[in-house]
Amino acid sequence: MRQLDEITDAVLAYHPEADIDVILDAYVFSAKAHRGQSRQSGEAYLSHPVEVAYNLTRLKMDEKTVAAGLLHDTLEDTLATEDEIKQLFGDEIYHMVDGVTKISQVQFASWEEKQAENYRKMILAMAHDIRVVLIKLADRAHNLQTLESLSSQQQIRISRETLDIYAPIANRLGIGWLKAELEDGSFQYVSPDKYQSIVERMSQDEEERNALVQTVSEAVEKELAAMQIEGTVSGRSKHYYSIYKKMMLQQIDLEDVYDLIGVRVITDSVKNCYAALGLVHSLWRPIPGKFKDYIAMPKPNMYQSLHTTVNGPKGQRVEVQIRSKEMHKVAEEGLAAHWQYKDGDEKSKKQDDNLAWVRHLIEAQSEIKNPKDFLNAFKVDLFFQEVYVFTPRGAVIALPRGATPVDFAYQVHTDIGNHCLAAKVNGKIVNLKYKLKNGDRIEILTSKQKHPSRDWLSFVKTSKARSKIIHYINHREREKSLELGREILETEIRKYGFNPSDILKGKKLDEAIHAAGFNTLDNLLMGIGYGKTSVRNVVDKLLPKERLEEFAKQALTVKVSEPSAREGRGIKVKSFGDDMMLRIGKCCNPVPGDTIIGYITRGRGVSIHSVDCPSMMSLAGETERLVEVEWDTSHKTLFPARISIVTEDKPGLLAKISSTVSECGVNMTRANVQTSTLKRAYFDLSLEILDLDHLNRTLDTLRQLPGVIHVERVKEYSKKRSNKKSRDDGEESAGDFRRHRGLG
Ligand code: MN
């Protein structure tokens, strides 16, 4: 097992002022916590955190990160508690250990490229601190080295995950050696045959290749010296997985991978880079189309170098990279994101172009000398604009920060959004306004009856959800107003005795639509439904003049007069004087003949009601305020009464009813007519009558009229009940849209 000294020595080598006590403490704590545990290989468990810590020194990490590496498995796999770690090592180290633990708990379910990219981003976002990601990568690098003792199922799962998620992260962070280690470590388990065949074929001509590199290097060095250009030349080996990817991508054989042999020239200035290039090209013929000037045109991640491929001494292709010492530092110290062009994926290249933080990482590195300060500068939320959450099946969905379950629902599918009823986050029901957190597992409960509400617009974050909600609401309102407008217009047409389907066609309809300022019937109906267009104006255009005029006359025959029984004349209050102020209860409108009772109001005299009036029943507890009253038949006084009549919906019936009422010696003070789609008309009339006999005679006369179906007296309190009874012939659907039109 690796010794602790190796780790502390390594840290002190790149950071002499490091406080290595924290590393010693972490080592002791980890040794105690993992005591008695062993790895699958049989080795003591402690060997794993020690190797992880050592990997972190290869990344030149600060002492706290190295200590966190020693502790990284204690929270998850031992009895050590969060409080212990916080108390002994402080918040900074605790947060790193906690972060690694959380990332390790994420389960990956899908290997589609788009999903993998989201997983990568999710890990970076969850980490908050780039050091957490680096610990995870160091952890994974060691796990790959010890995969042998695991089941083949575990080997493949861990290798795939590494290839799809962790190696690209290492690559994006520009840590080439770590990327190569992760890739080759996984490659041998994912595709053992291909791995072996490349390894074997590479080793067959290894000597030959080494000899070639040697020849090329010496030739270049000699020329550099002759021209007095300072510079060093070295061989450069590719790792197996990148060769394999190149073969797959370009559909070529191993022999045709042109940069199997590579050398690198490092000089002291930009000027000498170009001088060295000219020198190389003078020695061997360059292959057209293979020259790349990343000095004049740096990659988005600041990588700079000259790349050229030449026909080498024995005709083999040799790739030569030329750069200055400064450029080399940037490229080597973990920040040159090579993979963009190697992956050959335009999409991921674009995504990387947008990764401003990688650029900042590089820029900051040149300003900050202390590695600790450098890393502290990145203790910020990476990808702070986004949040990554899981679907119930384990796919990752990226949403803007502040997004809610409704945004998630629309992201998954429009139908799910449009029927989103409730949401479960990690198994618990949450408010639809809940702000999603990284790593949340979201389940949307839907209902066919549930629809988007305008309220949702106040909290959704994605433009997708917003536009879908607005679209839905607009569509729904259009439909509703269209339906309503049609009902209003058709009812109005029927009122004049016409069949809407006879009227709503032909040239007249077109003219009416045009006159109202619309181009289609639907738009006209919506105009009516929204209340922007007067249905009267439309009907005036549609129906024959004669019928409209005839109807106008009928409406005028309704006699309107003031009710005369308001003051309560015609009623005597027993045992009180005649000067008592009396009012007839509007709730029941009693007429002479009805049994009545008086109620002494507070300051407003006596109100008169039928004994069966519900408003009296509710006053039963106040018997001391009730007084006996009786009708005074010595005066001829008119009393208000209301009646309702149901008739067939025929033109002229209002006129007939109105004249009949008049012939009975009754005043009509108000008339309301409603029509329904079932060809019925409902009359609600206010009358003035002498007494109950007079009223009953009038009702009987009305019942004799042709077309009259039902006649009854309406007492206000029983109106609802009687209306319902008389309309139980099943036109409920028309109910919502029935329009009340007073003709008085
Ligand atoms: Mn581990």
Side-chain angles (χ1 to χ4, degrees):
M1 194 166 98
R2 195 180 294 278
Q3 296 300 302
L4 182 61
D5 290 358
E6 271 184 85
I7 293 167
T8 50
D9 287 353
V11 173
L12 288 171
Y14 59 77
H15 188 29
E17 280 116 75
D19 170 20
I20 57 164
D21 282 354
V22 70
I23 296 176
L24 302 178
D25 290 346
Y27 180 85
V28 172
F29 185 89
S30 185
K32 272 188 192 160
H34 289 295
R35 180 177 297 161
Q37 295 180 339
S38 54
R39 303 273 289 172
Q40 291 280 353
S41 59
E43 234 186 323
Y45 197 93
L46 186 63
S47 63
H48 170 62
V50 167
E51 287 299 332
V52 171
Y54 180 73
N55 278 343
L56 288 166
T57 68
R58 292 167 73 197
L59 289 163
K60 298 195 168 59
M61 289 290 106
D62 63 300
E63 61 270 24
K64 282 185 178 169
T65 311
V66 174
L70 285 166
L71 299 170
H72 82 273
D73 273 336
T74 56
L75 272 187
E76 200 175 10
D77 297 341
T78 77
L79 297 173
T81 65
E82 297 179 3
D83 286 345
E84 276 180 290
I85 293 178
K86 256 188 232 174
Q87 268 176 21
L88 289 167
F89 300 98
D91 279 353
E92 196 180 340
I93 289 179
Y94 163 71
H95 282 302
M96 284 192 261
V97 176
D98 183 52
V100 179
T101 308
K102 287 207 172 98
I103 289 177
S104 303
Q105 284 161 353
V106 175
Q107 296 284 316
F108 302 101
S110 158
W111 304 114
E112 288 168 51
E113 174 50 30
K114 192 167 168 278
Q115 274 301 301
E117 173 59 17
N118 277 343
Y119 285 137
R120 286 172 218 139
K121 284 185 176 178
M122 179 188 222
I123 281 170
L124 291 168
M126 277 177 86
H128 295 291
D129 182 338
I130 194 130
R131 293 178 300 177
V132 170
V133 179
L134 296 172
I135 296 170
K136 184 64 201 170
L137 295 177
D139 177 42
R140 182 50 59 101
H142 183 244
N143 282 338
L144 284 177
Q145 284 169 25
T146 56
L147 267 192
E148 219 166 273
S149 41
L150 299 189
S151 72
S152 67
Q153 224 178 353
Q154 282 170 307
Q155 286 171 349
I156 287 174
R157 183 184 64 77
I158 291 170
S159 304
R160 269 253 70 95
E161 188 179 281
T162 306
L163 278 183
D164 291 339
I165 312 227
Y166 292 107
I169 289 177
N171 193 24
R172 185 168 302 184
L173 295 174
I175 313 164
W177 67 264
L178 186 54
K179 177 208 172 202
E181 226 175 271
L182 293 171
E183 284 186 344
D184 281 350
S186 306
F187 181 35
Q188 56 183 305
Y189 290 102
V190 171
S191 311
D193 298 347
K194 283 163 189 147
Y195 176 82
Q196 272 313 316
S197 104
I198 292 177
V199 170
E200 274 164 27
R201 288 171 66 185
M202 290 287 282
S203 67
Q204 276 167 18
D205 50 13
E206 198 180 1
E207 266 178 41
E208 197 185 328
R209 276 186 295 114
N210 285 346
L212 185 63
V213 166
Q214 185 80 12
T215 312
V216 170
S217 297
E218 277 167 9
V220 173
E221 266 169 358
K222 200 176 144 202
E223 284 297 312
L224 285 172
M227 296 183 73
Q228 294 190 317
I229 296 172
E230 200 190 304
T232 57
V233 187
S234 58
R236 189 174 58 82
S237 62
K238 294 190 71 69
H239 69 285
Y240 303 122
Y241 189 67
S242 74
I243 292 168
Y244 170 68
K245 270 205 297 192
K246 190 156 267 175
M247 289 164 63
M248 289 297 106
L249 203 66
Q250 299 177 7
Q251 297 284 310
I252 53 174
D253 199 57
L254 184 68
E255 283 72 31
D256 302 318
V257 176
Y258 66 85
D259 56 353
L260 278 184
I261 304 163
V263 297
R264 185 176 291 141
V265 181
I266 296 172
T267 71
D268 57 348
S269 68
V270 172
K271 197 185 101 211
N272 281 341
C273 288
Y274 289 101
L277 176 74
L279 178 156
V280 168
H281 282 178
S282 71
L283 285 171
W284 303 288
R285 199 161 51 81
I287 291 164
K290 292 291 183 193
F291 172 64
K292 300 252 168 54
D293 185 349
Y294 293 116
I295 293 178
M297 302 265 287
K299 291 190 185 182
N301 59 21
M302 308 290 280
Y303 174 86
Q304 286 185 300
S305 212
L306 298 175
H307 291 190
T308 188
T309 303
V310 295
N311 269 320
K314 289 180 183 169
Q316 294 101 325
R317 292 180 169 193
V318 180
E319 195 206 43
V320 184
Q321 295 181 352
I322 304 166
R323 53 175 82 140
S324 73
K325 282 178 192 160
E326 274 168 318
M327 293 171 197
H328 185 59
K329 191 164 183 268
V330 170
E332 283 297 289
E333 292 198 357
L335 297 164
H338 258 297
W339 72 294
Q340 293 169 30
Y341 80 100
K342 286 193 181 171
D343 282 358
D345 175 356
E346 276 301 314
K347 254 191 209 158
S348 55
K349 185 173 172 175
K350 236 188 202 146
Q351 275 161 349
D352 248 28
D353 286 352
N354 296 330
L355 292 177
W357 64 271
V358 171
R359 202 162 22 250
H360 292 154
L361 204 65
I362 294 159
E363 283 162 5
Q365 203 219 8
S366 54
E367 289 158 24
I368 303 168
K369 293 289 174 261
N370 186 331
K372 191 175 160 187
D373 292 347
F374 166 66
L375 286 160
N376 278 340
F378 293 95
K379 278 173 61 189
V380 288
D381 281 9
L382 300 168
F383 296 100
F384 59 90
Q385 321 90 318
E386 285 183 308
V387 61
Y388 300 88
V389 296
F390 285 109
T391 68
R393 301 181 67 184
V396 170
I397 303 241
L399 292 164
R401 195 140 281 206
T404 63
V406 176
D407 292 295
F408 173 87
Y410 276 106
Q411 204 65 34
V412 173
H413 199 280
T414 302
D415 274 351
I416 295 180
N418 279 343
H419 297 290
C420 172
L421 175 69
K424 275 186 183 177
V425 170
N426 305 324
K428 281 185 196 144
I429 294 274
V430 296
N431 194 297
L432 287 181
K433 293 178 186 171
Y434 170 87
K435 290 197 185 344
L436 303 177
K437 295 191 185 72
N438 273 316
D440 277 349
R441 190 170 292 267
I442 321 293
E443 188 184 339
I444 298 295
L445 311 178
T446 58
S447 160
K448 279 275 166 279
Q449 274 77 46
K450 180 72 186 176
H451 301 291
S453 79
R454 201 169 275 282
D455 176 47
W456 290 2
L457 293 173
S458 69
F459 59 78
V460 295
K461 268 278 180 292
T462 53
S463 53
K464 183 172 184 180
R466 177 169 300 278
S467 67
K468 296 280 182 191
I469 294 166
I470 289 171
H471 180 262
Y472 183 88
I473 291 171
N474 287 346
H475 181 70
R476 199 173 159 85
E477 280 180 358
R478 270 173 63 97
E479 275 191 338
K480 266 163 91 178
S481 56
L482 181 66
E483 205 179 334
L484 182 62
R486 183 181 295 280
E487 188 65 34
I488 293 172
L489 182 58
E490 289 186 352
T491 303
E492 193 68 13
I493 291 169
R494 280 197 197 91
K495 204 178 86 183
Y496 291 92
F498 292 98
N499 187 343
S501 55
D502 296 339
I503 299 298
L504 295 177
K505 65 181 183 192
K507 214 176 126 206
K508 264 201 153 177
L509 176 64
D510 291 342
E511 282 167 10
I513 291 167
H514 194 73
F518 295 102
N519 48 8
T520 66
L521 177 59
D522 279 2
N523 286 342
L524 171 67
L525 294 175
M526 273 188 273
I528 295 171
Y530 277 126
K532 286 178 193 157
T533 305
S534 152
V535 69
R536 271 238 63 90
N537 292 345
V538 176
V539 166
D540 280 351
K541 292 270 183 317
L542 284 171
L543 299 180
K545 275 239 161 52
E546 318 84 67
R547 181 60 63 86
L548 291 165
E549 277 162 9
E550 183 191 331
F551 230 77
K553 266 185 223 152
Q554 287 173 6
L556 287 173
T557 62
V558 177
K559 187 179 166 192
V560 177
S561 65
E562 282 297 305
S564 51
R566 275 196 183 143
E567 298 79 27
R569 276 179 296 150
I571 303 167
K572 274 197 295 201
V573 182
K574 282 183 177 177
S575 72
F576 280 88
D578 278 347
D579 53 352
M580 199 71 189
M581 194 164 73
L582 301 176
R583 290 185 304 114
I584 295 200
K586 287 230 176 77
C587 45
C588 51
N589 279 325
V591 297
D594 287 327
T595 312
I596 50 174
I597 194 160
Y599 173 76
I600 306 166
T601 65
R602 289 170 176 81
R604 298 180 65 208
V606 175
S607 64
I608 309 298
H609 299 267
S610 294
V611 287
D612 57 355
C613 175
S615 67
M616 282 290 100
M617 312 259 187
S618 67
L619 295 169
E622 297 180 76
T623 44
E624 71 280 358
R625 293 189 161 267
L626 296 178
V627 290
E628 267 188 67
V629 289
E630 64 180 22
W631 298 106
D632 180 2
T633 47
S634 60
H635 299 281
K636 283 279 175 202
T637 308
L638 293 173
F639 291 91
R642 286 181 60 188
I643 63 169
S644 87
I645 307 168
V646 182
T647 70
E648 291 165 19
D649 190 9
K650 281 189 186 168
L653 253 175
L654 178 62
K656 192 70 200 158
I657 286 169
S658 162
S659 60
T660 305
V661 165
S662 187
E663 280 158 19
C664 291
V666 173
N667 283 346
M668 192 189 294
T669 56
R670 191 181 59 94
N672 260 313
V673 187
Q674 308 163 19
T675 53
S676 84
T677 48
L678 287 185
K679 300 201 182 276
R680 294 280 183 276
Y682 302 92
F683 293 80
D684 174 13
L685 307 179
S686 292
L687 308 175
E688 287 183 329
I689 47 105
L690 286 167
D691 55 28
L692 196 56
D693 269 358
H694 187 203
L695 177 62
N696 286 337
R697 278 200 312 273
T698 309
L699 296 183
D700 282 341
T701 311
L702 287 169
R703 284 184 186 113
Q704 310 302 317
L705 293 177
V708 169
I709 296 161
H710 182 79
V711 181
E712 71 172 357
R713 180 183 174 189
V714 178
K715 291 186 172 180
E716 197 79 26
Y717 61 80
S718 61
K719 184 186 167 208
K720 273 193 177 144
R721 190 166 15 109
S722 66
N723 274 3
K724 182 149 181 23
K725 201 172 144 198
S726 65
R727 285 174 200 170
D728 259 350
D729 38 13
E731 84 296 26
E732 253 126 76
S733 60
D736 292 347
F737 305 104
R738 191 174 295 119
R739 277 288 169 281
H740 293 252
R741 286 174 212 295
L743 295 177

